[in-house]
């Protein structure tokens, strides 16, 4: 496994928590940033500064890792 592949894996690893399943019958809504809550069960309490920061960092790290991976693939 190349260092670029390791970096991509590290960048997308937090997506597992973000994409964790949640449905209204599952009990309490997750406090951590969650796609299901954000998209389907919007709640003002879920849209806090901490979750906004996590969303921005997650988006930035994934996009940057994919950009680096594509640049490396283009050079090969």
């Amino acid at each position: 496994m190349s260092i670029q592949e390791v970096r991509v894996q590290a960048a997308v690893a937090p997506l597992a928590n973000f994409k964790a399943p949640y449905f209204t019958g599952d009990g309490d809504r997750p406090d951590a940033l969650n796609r299901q809550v954000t998209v389907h069960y919007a709640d003002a309490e879920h849209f806090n500064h901490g979750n906004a920061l996590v969303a921005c960092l997650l988006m930035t790290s994934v996009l940057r890792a994919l950009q680096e991976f594509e640049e490396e693939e283009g050079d090969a």
Side-chain angles (χ1 to χ4, degrees):
M1 182 177 258
S2 71
I3 188 67
Q4 290 81 13
E5 290 171 331
V6 171
R7 291 182 74 183
V8 169
Q9 289 294 324
V12 299
L15 288 173
N17 289 335
F18 177 67
K19 294 190 73 174
Y22 169 78
F23 300 98
T24 54
D26 291 347
D28 293 335
R29 291 182 181 176
D31 290 331
L33 182 67
N34 180 276
R35 187 192 74 81
Q36 290 291 99
V37 176
T38 301
V39 175
H40 300 292
Y41 308 107
D43 183 349
E45 291 179 12
H46 195 69
F47 300 124
N48 57 44
H49 291 288
N51 283 345
L53 180 60
V54 170
C56 290
L57 292 172
L58 180 59
M59 177 186 65
T60 302
S61 66
V62 169
L63 290 175
R64 182 66 179 134
L66 291 173
Q67 177 187 14
E68 287 179 1
F69 184 76
E70 287 296 319
E71 289 172 353
E72 289 295 323
E73 289 293 312
D75 291 341

